Amino acid sequence: MADPRRRVLHFPGTRAAPTPLGGGWAELHVHSAGSFLFGANHVEELVAEAVRLGIEALAITDTNGLYGARRLAEAAGEYGIGTVYGAELTLDQGLGSIVVIARSLLGFTRLSAAISAGQLAGAKNAPVYDLDALSAAAHEGQWAILTGCPAVGEAAYDTDAIHTRMDRLVDLFGRTHLHAELVDHRLPEDGPRNAAVNAAALRWRLPVVATNAVRYAAPRSARLAAALTALHRRENLDTAIGELPPAPTAHLRTAEEMRILMARYPQAIASAVDLARSSVIDLSRLRPQLPDFEVPAGHTPDSYLRHLAEEGCARRYGPRTDPAAGTAFKQLDYELSVITDMGMQGYFLICWDITRYAAEQGIWCQGRGSAASSVVCYALGITSVDALRHGLLFERFLHVEKTDPDIDIDFENDRREEVIQYLYAKYGRSHCAQVANLITYQPRLSVRDSARALGYPIARINEMTRHIHHEPPGPEADIPDDVRSLAGQLHTLPRHLGIHVGGMVLTRQPIGEIMPVEWATREGRSVLQGDKDDVAAAHLLKIDILGLGMLAALHTACDLIAEHHGISLDMASIPQDDPDVYAMIAAGQTIGVFQAESRAQVSTLPQLQPRCFEDLAVAASIIRPGPIQAGSKHPYLRRRAGLEPVTYPHPLAEAALSKTLGVALWQEQAMALAIDCAGFTPSEADRLRKAMAAKHSPEKVAQLRGRLFAGMAAKGIDQAASERIVGMIEAFSDYGFPQSHAQSMAGIIYASAWVKYHFPHAMLVS
């Protein structure tokens, strides 16, 4: 996110760019794009505008959710703006909506739990809140309640209805915690409504607070907000005109603008600032814990994990007393010390238990991803890749500053549900939840929905979008200017929540207290109100329970082989290093072979001529965006064929790049280059990878590049070589493929190829 202090924005025809006043105003009622098809700006954009306007504290109060909470914490932390967390809850029984502000971490967990309860008591997008439960929670003193938006049909001039609603809210929440909310969008009805609300507040001696009930950061986004409203109503801007605000006024404002706007109610501004200041929360202090893992008598989680890991290490490498196993046990001890220091013993025991359960049930599974860089995971049977043999970097998976290790486990796709149900049965749905996938507007749907909102006929919409796929349409595309403009604003905005492909989290306390849970579209499924990035920001540890069709096919094929040929096989016992199998792969005869049957892969394999397991890891990686973007594919193939000499940017880069003939294919190599050539520690190299991939800000990336160049200069690397090395690191931080993932995939590539070669009929019917 660009630093808003480095630029001044102007919105022609609306208002001049104000001078930040350095305080004096705080906004307590803001909808981000997390209020799906209502809020028109990402949290980061709202924070940037708030900083520019001199707002000292900002609340994100999305509808029936805390969707933007973790994004607010991250975005606001960069600029020091105060963070306030709340939600607008839609009540029934003629009460309209209220805004609940959490006044402490306990208040945040209570609000999260209340949203979860309401969401699960209702249906998708239709929560039902228990008013008595909300009332009881409010009286605990951890919330502030704003009277919020009027009930449906409540007229601004109907003073009796407004007073009746205010009376009912006082009965529910009491005078101590209720605040009368005044909003002036410069519409004719705002004056009478504010007067009636203020009169009721005086009668009940309630504090009054001013807000802008914000839907967008600045007036220029009002058109987008109107289009979102029309789309939500399944109408276009013309047919929805009666439901659209007539002026672009639901935006953030400066303290001076608020003083002018609320001149009749100056106390409302002071009260809003006081309430915001007393409600600023540091969400990083909320640290969820994993469920207790039951260990045998006489063991602690630490001792039991060590016992299992040492037992598995001896199985894999030989006893600790065997000198040949010395390196393995040294690495095992190091990894266990890191795991213990980070208090993650329970996480590894849970993952081990999942794979143990699968094995007992005859469900084939295999861990993959960065976890394959761990000797502990290999010893526990979570992964099947020997990290030592392949020189994988443990810090790509875990180090003391990386609090979100990611263990991905593939299961037979038709039996994955059994594993999910095992977790629900063991830990309970209140302590176990699936991660959401944030579905955002991508190019095709952005154009389609923009054209719908603007009233274009369906035939014309189909014509506009039929050639749009993953990239925004170029200037040559036949798309009207109004559609193109609106689609550009709609692009990347959240549209709704889906279900993550496999992510699950477990917690000791009820999961709904950390992050709300709501119903998914799929019947009977519930998801967290956050995607994998939100989960990581909330310090929730994710385990990916994934389904892989090839594992199911291999299991079926091996069952058939046992039945008809009397040969018992599994992933571990399939004979390795069969030259005939490699010859088949090298000939490109790989239809039906895992990750090797696309046109690009089939055409590349004869050039690659794989002859060993390491070559299969290369084959799994080379047809990927990282190697293609970095220009690594063709130099690697030429060097492998002897058509080009193997060279390195600098002798210090040879250790990192020797396995791949001087070019970079994997993320771990980018980390190794930073370590060997610029003096980074392994944990610093992983932070570098993550920061560059996330592109936190141009300034942050520039700082990291500076550190790389300085480190290489200190090691005597000239400018030209430094530029080449930094280019490799940047390309693979962005799109690189993890070597640990490639090694895991290589095992399935080989197994599927072996079965295809030796028992093609079994593979065919599987």
Side-chain angles (χ1 to χ4, degrees):
M1 179 176 65
D3 187 341
R5 295 167 293 191
R6 298 177 64 88
R7 60 193 177 92
V8 177
L9 305 179
H10 292 271
F11 306 113
T14 54
R15 55 177 177 166
T19 301
L21 300 180
W25 174 237
E27 182 56 68
L28 290 168
H29 188 172
V30 179
H31 291 275
S32 76
S35 293
F36 302 111
L37 298 181
F38 187 78
N41 289 105
H42 294 286
V43 170
E44 295 80 1
E45 295 170 316
L46 291 161
V47 170
E49 180 69 352
V51 171
R52 190 183 77 88
L53 298 178
I55 295 172
E56 64 177 80
L58 184 72
I60 296 295
T61 55
D62 286 324
T63 304
N64 297 314
L66 294 169
Y67 303 99
R70 269 72 191 188
R71 294 162 197 260
L72 173 63
E74 184 174 357
E78 190 172 344
Y79 304 113
I81 188 172
T83 50
V84 180
Y85 302 94
E88 181 174 307
L89 307 185
T90 53
L91 308 181
D92 54 7
Q93 303 175 30
L95 287 172
S97 299
I98 58 170
V99 176
V100 180
I101 301 293
R103 307 207 65 187
S104 64
L105 282 178
L106 178 60
F108 181 90
T109 62
R110 292 281 194 273
L111 176 56
S112 184
I115 293 171
S116 296
Q119 290 280 5
L120 297 180
K124 176 71 174 175
N125 297 324
V128 176
Y129 295 102
D130 183 329
L131 296 182
D132 291 336
L134 290 179
S135 175
H139 281 86
E140 291 180 1
Q142 305 297 326
W143 292 349
I145 311 290
L146 311 189
T147 53
C149 299
V152 175
E154 181 181 293
Y157 300 92
D158 190 345
T159 302
D160 289 341
I162 292 172
H163 278 257
T164 298
R165 176 172 176 266
M166 293 285 287
D167 292 348
R168 293 181 63 196
L169 291 174
V170 171
D171 287 341
L172 269 174
F173 302 114
R175 292 190 300 108
T176 307
H177 312 296
L178 190 64
H179 301 253
E181 181 179 0
L182 305 181
V183 179
D184 192 335
H185 284 164
R186 300 184 178 181
L187 303 178
E189 61 267 26
D190 291 339
R193 176 172 284 114
N194 283 340
V197 171
N198 187 63
L202 289 172
R203 180 162 58 85
W204 284 108
R205 300 193 301 281
L206 300 177
V208 292
V209 295
T211 82
N212 283 300
V214 172
R215 287 188 62 188
Y216 36 86
R220 63 179 178 182
S221 295
R223 176 77 164 171
L224 173 60
L228 291 172
T229 298
L231 290 169
H232 180 70
R233 295 177 58 83
R234 300 181 182 274
E235 298 182 67
N236 61 50
L237 287 167
D238 288 337
T239 59
I241 191 68
E243 301 298 325
L244 305 180
T249 50
H251 56 80
L252 293 168
R253 291 186 168 86
T254 65
E256 183 59 32
E257 286 178 296
M258 290 306 299
R259 281 194 284 271
I260 295 170
L261 200 62
M262 290 287 173
R264 292 183 60 189
Y265 312 106
Q267 75 281 11
I269 296 176
S271 294
V273 173
D274 289 344
L275 177 57
R277 287 173 177 168
S278 64
S279 302
V280 170
I281 296 172
D282 178 6
L283 270 193
S284 67
R285 292 170 49 217
L286 185 60
R287 294 279 177 166
Q289 301 295 315
L290 284 167
D292 291 325
F293 186 86
E294 187 175 345
V295 298
H299 275 293
T300 64
D302 186 51
S303 70
Y304 192 51
L305 176 63
R306 177 170 288 278
H307 164 73
L308 292 172
E310 289 184 343
E311 196 177 62
C313 193
R315 246 188 342 265
R316 298 282 198 182
Y317 299 101
R320 187 183 280 270
T321 54
D322 184 349
T327 301
F329 275 96
K330 182 179 179 181
Q331 179 65 20
L332 185 84
D333 291 339
Y334 165 67
E335 292 184 16
L336 286 173
S337 70
V338 173
I339 291 167
T340 299
D341 289 345
M342 299 178 71
M344 289 186 175
Q345 303 94 320
Y347 180 67
F348 286 83
L349 287 170
I350 289 169
C351 292
W352 164 80
D353 181 60
I354 292 170
T355 56
R356 175 205 58 78
Y357 169 79
E360 287 182 355
Q361 302 303 311
I363 303 171
W364 283 22
C365 68
Q366 177 177 292
R368 62 174 166 91
S370 60
S373 302
S374 165
V375 170
V376 167
C377 288
Y378 183 52
L380 293 174
I382 296 170
T383 63
S384 59
V385 174
D386 185 344
L388 291 180
R389 174 188 170 191
H390 300 294
L392 302 180
L393 193 63
F394 174 68
E395 284 77 12
R396 171 64 181 85
F397 169 56
L398 186 65
H399 54 78
V400 291
E401 296 179 22
K402 184 174 182 176
T403 58
D404 57 338
D406 197 2
I407 294 182
D408 302 341
I409 309 174
D410 287 318
F411 298 86
E412 298 175 56
N413 63 329
D414 55 353
R415 301 193 66 186
R416 167 178 172 264
E417 186 65 26
E418 295 176 47
V419 181
I420 292 174
Q421 293 306 320
Y422 169 71
L423 291 174
Y424 280 136
K426 183 167 182 136
Y427 299 102
R429 282 186 176 266
S430 58
H431 297 269
C432 179
Q434 290 186 268
V435 179
N437 188 26
L438 190 63
I439 309 301
T440 60
Y441 272 101
Q442 295 306 304
R444 184 182 178 88
L445 186 58
S446 297
V447 171
R448 191 170 193 85
D449 271 11
S450 295
R452 282 179 52 214
L454 292 167
Y456 283 85
I458 189 63
R460 181 71 176 97
I461 294 173
N462 291 337
E463 183 184 330
M464 288 182 213
T465 58
R466 71 170 180 263
H467 296 303
I468 300 174
H469 298 290
H470 305 296
E471 297 295 330
E476 73 285 352
D478 182 19
I479 298 174
D481 289 344
D482 56 349
V483 174
R484 189 181 293 273
S485 174
L486 185 57
Q489 298 176 65
L490 202 57
H491 185 225
T492 77
L493 277 185
R495 191 175 189 273
H496 61 275
L497 289 183
I499 302 178
H500 187 272
V501 65
M504 298 193 75
V505 297
L506 307 170
T507 54
R508 183 178 304 171
Q509 66 215 92
I511 185 70
E513 294 182 0
I514 305 300
M515 187 177 289
V517 179
E518 66 177 48
W519 290 117
T521 304
R522 181 175 173 181
E523 187 176 355
R525 286 295 180 93
S526 56
V527 294
L528 292 167
Q529 286 186 343
D531 66 5
K532 61 183 181 63
D533 295 327
D534 297 316
V535 163
H539 309 292
L540 290 162
L541 290 177
K542 175 171 66 72
I543 303 169
D544 279 342
I545 309 298
L546 303 164
L548 187 62
M550 182 53 73
L551 281 179
L554 285 171
H555 193 171
T556 301
C558 288
D559 285 347
L560 290 170
I561 294 168
E563 180 182 349
H564 294 281
H565 299 277
I567 302 172
S568 180
L569 294 169
D570 59 21
M571 290 290 291
S573 62
I574 288 174
Q576 300 297 301
D577 301 321
D578 186 327
D580 292 332
V581 172
Y582 282 109
M584 182 190 76
I585 297 172
Q589 297 171 5
T590 51
I591 299 301
V593 174
F594 180 69
Q595 290 288 310
E597 57 181 346
S598 73
R599 179 179 297 178
Q601 289 159 334
V602 168
S603 65
T604 300
L605 288 169
Q607 302 173 64
L608 181 62
Q609 287 292 302
R611 297 299 182 203
C612 64
F613 188 85
E614 292 289 350
D615 292 344
L616 295 184
V618 171
S621 310
I622 201 165
I623 309 297
R624 302 281 173 177
I628 292 170
Q629 176 177 290
S632 300
K633 176 190 172 184
H634 295 297
Y636 177 86
L637 293 174
R638 287 196 299 269
R639 293 178 184 196
R640 186 168 177 89
L643 302 176
E644 178 180 306
V646 175
T647 60
Y648 301 96
H650 188 273
L652 288 175
E654 183 172 353
L657 302 176
S658 59
K659 283 186 178 180
T660 50
L661 309 180
V663 301
L665 294 180
W666 298 308
Q667 286 181 356
E668 289 87 342
Q669 290 178 303
M671 293 173 60
L673 287 170
I675 294 166
D676 296 342
C677 300
F680 279 52
T681 66
S683 58
E684 287 173 333
D686 187 58
R687 291 203 307 275
L688 169 72
R689 173 197 63 80
K690 191 170 183 179
M692 283 190 164
K695 292 184 173 61
H696 288 300
S697 68
E699 293 82 3
K700 181 69 173 177
V701 172
Q703 180 184 357
L704 291 167
R705 294 181 91 251
R707 168 81 192 283
L708 282 170
F709 281 117
M712 286 188 280
K715 286 181 173 282
I717 301 176
D718 63 37
Q719 185 67 26
S722 296
E723 290 282 358
R724 287 184 63 196
I725 292 168
V726 170
M728 287 181 174
I729 292 172
E730 289 183 329
F732 281 83
S733 294
D734 199 0
Y735 294 109
F737 197 63
Q739 183 184 2
S740 52
H741 193 91
Q743 298 287 351
S744 300
M745 291 176 63
I748 305 179
I749 292 172
Y750 178 84
S752 59
W754 189 93
V755 174
K756 172 179 173 159
Y757 181 82
H758 289 283
F759 299 97
H761 296 93
M763 195 67 175
L764 181 64
V765 299
S766 298

